[in-house]
Amino acid sequence: MEFAGTNYLAVVVAAVASFAFGSVYYMTLAKPWVAAIGKTQEQVKAEGMKPVTFVVAALAQLVMAWVLSGVIGHLGAGQVTAENGLISAAFIWFGFVLTTLAVNHGFQGSKASLTLIDGGHWLGVLLVQGLVIGLFGV
């Protein structure tokens, strides 16, 4: 098997696009998400969001895009396509992300709605990243 390589511009664009997706996603689902974590809007506002949280999220999505690019690249030369990016992203989400969320949220006693909301977010993130990486190619 031949490794197709990594397009680092695609990795950065994928990370930025997925971060933007997450911003819109959670702004849209802010009320259900707050209810799912068992807090009120006032509690969330009082606690505030620390800037370091956003930095960690951005860096995590950069790492995620880089790893996804490596996974897609391992399909071989000529296989870094939008279709393969989406398929790889969906498999990774289902096999690793959704299962991890389900276990963690289950042991934490979280509501199922939190798993659905967060799971939907990470599915969207990975699909956006897979699409961008696939469209850019190597």
Side-chain angles (χ1 to χ4, degrees):
M1 182 189 301
E2 183 180 326
F3 180 63
T6 298
N7 181 329
Y8 291 100
L9 177 60
V11 168
V12 172
V13 171
V16 170
S18 64
F19 190 85
F21 164 81
S23 298
V24 171
Y25 183 87
Y26 278 112
M27 282 191 290
T28 303
L29 293 175
K31 287 182 182 178
W33 179 78
V34 168
I37 63 171
K39 295 185 178 182
T40 65
Q41 293 279 355
E42 292 74 29
Q43 288 173 309
V44 171
K45 286 180 185 176
E47 293 170 4
M49 289 288 179
K50 297 177 179 75
V52 70
T53 305
F54 292 99
V55 171
V56 169
L59 290 174
Q61 290 192 26
L62 184 62
V63 169
M64 187 179 282
W66 176 68
V67 171
L68 182 58
S69 176
V71 168
I72 297 167
H74 270 84
L75 294 174
Q79 297 301 308
V80 182
T81 65
E83 181 181 8
N84 285 339
L86 290 169
I87 291 168
S88 297
F91 269 110
I92 289 170
W93 172 80
F94 186 72
F96 297 102
V97 178
L98 182 60
T99 55
T100 302
L101 283 174
V103 169
N104 286 354
H105 287 171
F107 278 106
Q108 292 167 0
S110 300
K111 297 176 182 177
S113 58
L114 181 61
T115 304
L116 291 173
I117 292 168
D118 288 348
H121 164 254
W122 290 114
L123 175 60
V125 163
L126 281 163
L127 290 175
V128 166
Q129 289 184 356
L131 180 63
V132 170
I133 291 164
L135 288 173
F136 271 70
V138 238

